[in-house]
Amino acid sequence: MMSIKSAWSALGGDPALVGRVDGAGRTGVLRSRLPVRELARGCVGACALAAAELGAARGGEAARVRVDDGAVAVAFTSERHLLVDGRAPVAFAPLSRFWRTRDGWVRTHANYPRHRERLVSVMGPAEYMEDAFAERSAREVEEAVYAAGGLAVALRTPEEWAEHEQGRAVAGRPLVERGRLDDAPARVLAPLDAAPLLPAAGLRVLDLTRVIAGPVATRTLALLGADVLRLDPPRLPELPDQHADTDFGKRSATLDLEADRRTFEELLAAADVVVTGYRPGSLDRFGLSPEALAERRPGVVVAQLSAWGGYGPWSGRRGFDSLVQVATGIAVTEGSAEQPGALPAQALDHGSGYLLAAAVLRALTEQTREGGSRLARVALARTARWLTAEVRAEDTGDDGGYDGPGARLAERDSPLGRLRYALTPVSLTGGPTDWARPPGPWGADPARWE
């Protein structure tokens, strides 16, 4: 359970509480050269422990936590298990892939139409792209596509990333950055009902995240009883299957932060938590910096998720799990410099999501004792460093091996159709096992609290 202890320590948790964790080791899950199983176990275990701690702070049962490697593995590949009316989603668009360059490899991300357009503006039509990549160096492509607003990252070895200025900046930061923003009074939370144990019941969460990591964090808070309202720009719809996978338990609304500031301020005035997943600083012009939010809403918890971190020369760059794997040397470790590979799951995304949810839960618990508006930050690149340099493989025994995803999947009807989906791996005594509501149509809910 060393990975759980490591994650819990990064969250500032009481070491004695780790004794409440029961594990179910499973062989054959998340196979890789790097300790992905241990990373996943650590992130989920720490998140469940933070939920149990908050529940106890609200007068609930001092719950025990169970971490089942099989359930964790299925949840970390939830997008692969999703079915919508029997149809499986496509994980990556045709132009989201590795490309051979003159001197190595580049990986691009073009799942969103606007990113595809910017990639094409630099590299030309799709049918001629292989030749266009082959004529240029990997670093040249990386910079040219970035300058155009697209996403392409050159393949680096672990040693090259360690010497890169961004790699050094990431290595100097904690796994979870935590801070206090002011001296707001202690948070008073109503006692919990007997069952089920919903540690976040009655709390309101504004969800300004996209893709996987941020939505996984807020999906977890929704599971635990929070009222989560996801807000997206009207002109930037989420990919439908991604929404179906990560927006269980939430409501989804669109809001133009520039044109409808009054609505946002009304939402903020009653919010307990604000979670953002855009590039660091990109929302500051809307008054969404942590300091500005705490000034207008004392006692708020602000949680931020980014790809590269809010520091270093890449702080303003967009990024995705697959690209962070390529930049940080993971793709070389899982394959080679001649034939790059990938992790068995988008583990940086999912792991960072559970870490961010855990950080929010811990901040809420700390507020009940010490008050203060709180800030928590998690970056995919820092989670990557935890995986490559700090987490170690563990022998936790085998509780029967892995018998496949079947028992860890569920089906239900929804406004989107019949859904098959992965159940939550966050398990605590008396806690929820499924979300209270399925996802509805993207952007169809009103931008107001229930």
Side-chain angles (χ1 to χ4, degrees):
M1 293 296 174
M2 290 305 297
S3 62
I4 297 177
K5 291 180 180 178
S6 174
W8 188 240
S9 176
L11 291 159
D14 179 356
L17 296 184
V18 178
R20 293 183 184 176
V21 179
D22 300 313
R26 308 287 179 189
T27 57
V29 301
L30 299 175
R31 291 184 182 274
S32 61
R33 295 175 181 175
L34 290 166
V36 175
R37 180 183 67 163
E38 286 75 10
L39 173 140
R41 178 191 295 152
C43 295
V44 170
C47 183
L49 201 54
E53 180 190 36
L54 179 59
R58 300 184 67 178
E61 175 187 356
R64 294 194 65 81
V65 165
R66 178 175 172 79
V67 183
D68 185 311
D69 284 347
V72 172
V74 172
F76 266 58
T77 52
S78 61
E79 62 273 13
R80 302 179 195 173
H81 298 292
L82 177 71
L83 294 178
V84 182
D85 285 334
R87 176 188 59 80
V90 176
F92 288 101
L95 298 187
S96 296
R97 48 167 282 199
F98 281 105
W99 303 85
R100 173 74 82 168
T101 64
R102 189 176 67 227
D103 60 351
W105 292 90
V106 159
R107 180 145 190 170
T108 56
H109 197 286
N111 283 11
Y112 290 91
R114 64 190 184 281
H115 295 155
R116 182 187 187 280
E117 292 166 5
R118 291 163 188 176
L119 177 64
V120 169
S121 74
V122 176
M123 303 306 297
E127 57 267 31
Y128 303 117
M129 271 194 187
E130 287 197 359
D131 290 340
F133 278 101
E135 292 170 355
R136 305 169 80 164
S137 72
R139 305 292 173 87
E140 179 187 356
V141 170
E142 179 180 87
E143 292 303 320
V145 174
Y146 164 67
L151 293 117
V153 171
L155 180 70
R156 290 173 172 81
T157 65
E159 295 75 21
E160 288 172 331
W161 180 248
E163 292 301 317
H164 191 280
E165 189 175 350
Q166 187 65 31
R168 293 197 302 269
V170 167
R173 298 291 180 135
L175 176 61
V176 181
E177 295 187 76
R178 304 164 57 248
R180 181 171 178 150
L181 297 168
D182 60 24
D183 294 321
R187 180 181 292 276
V188 178
L189 294 173
L192 295 174
D193 294 332
L197 178 61
L198 296 173
L203 296 168
R204 288 171 167 171
V205 177
L206 280 177
D207 175 6
L208 286 80
T209 69
R210 297 175 66 80
V211 198
I212 296 176
V216 164
T218 51
R219 181 182 69 183
T220 303
L221 297 174
L223 171 82
L224 297 169
D227 179 7
V228 179
L229 178 61
R230 174 169 170 166
L231 298 177
D232 282 286
R235 293 176 296 280
L236 292 178
E238 183 59 279
L239 300 175
D241 292 332
Q242 214 148 258
H243 164 65
D245 178 43
T246 61
D247 284 336
F248 277 85
K250 313 175 195 177
R251 290 177 296 121
S252 170
T254 61
L255 188 69
D256 187 326
L257 293 177
E258 200 158 20
D260 202 352
R261 295 294 295 274
R262 174 180 290 184
T263 297
F264 181 80
E265 293 302 319
E266 290 172 352
L267 291 169
L268 176 64
D272 300 286
V273 179
V274 178
V275 186
T276 67
Y278 292 79
R279 287 174 295 128
S282 62
L283 297 178
D284 290 3
R285 63 193 176 99
F286 301 114
L288 269 69
S289 71
E291 295 77 12
L293 289 168
E295 183 178 352
R296 305 199 307 282
R297 178 59 169 161
V300 72
V301 174
V302 181
Q304 297 182 321
L305 188 288
S306 65
W308 308 106
Y311 38 79
W314 283 18
S315 63
R317 296 197 177 197
R318 297 177 178 87
F320 294 86
D321 182 304
S322 58
L323 303 185
V324 176
Q325 290 188 41
V326 171
T328 59
I330 290 173
V332 171
T333 301
E334 292 295 325
S336 69
E338 288 302 310
Q339 189 59 57
L343 297 176
Q346 295 193 70
L348 308 180
D349 261 334
H350 287 272
S352 297
Y354 289 109
L355 283 176
L356 194 66
V360 169
L361 296 166
R362 287 241 58 247
L364 291 164
T365 298
E366 290 176 337
Q367 285 182 324
T368 65
R369 299 192 294 259
E370 305 164 10
S373 300
R374 301 286 172 149
L375 171 64
R377 289 190 175 115
V378 173
L380 302 190
R382 185 58 182 86
T383 303
R385 176 173 172 78
W386 191 51
L387 172 65
T388 58
E390 299 167 30
V391 177
R392 296 290 179 263
E394 304 172 29
D395 181 6
T396 56
D398 181 5
D399 288 4
Y402 179 58
D403 55 358
R408 296 150 181 118
L409 300 175
E411 291 194 20
R412 69 198 297 179
D413 292 321
S414 80
L416 305 179
R418 181 75 175 173
L419 300 180
R420 188 192 74 176
Y421 58 98
L423 290 168
T424 180
V426 176
S427 176
L428 52 154
T429 307
T433 59
D434 202 345
W435 288 270
R437 68 171 81 195
W442 177 85
D445 293 298
R448 64 171 181 263
W449 297 115
E450 289 189 331

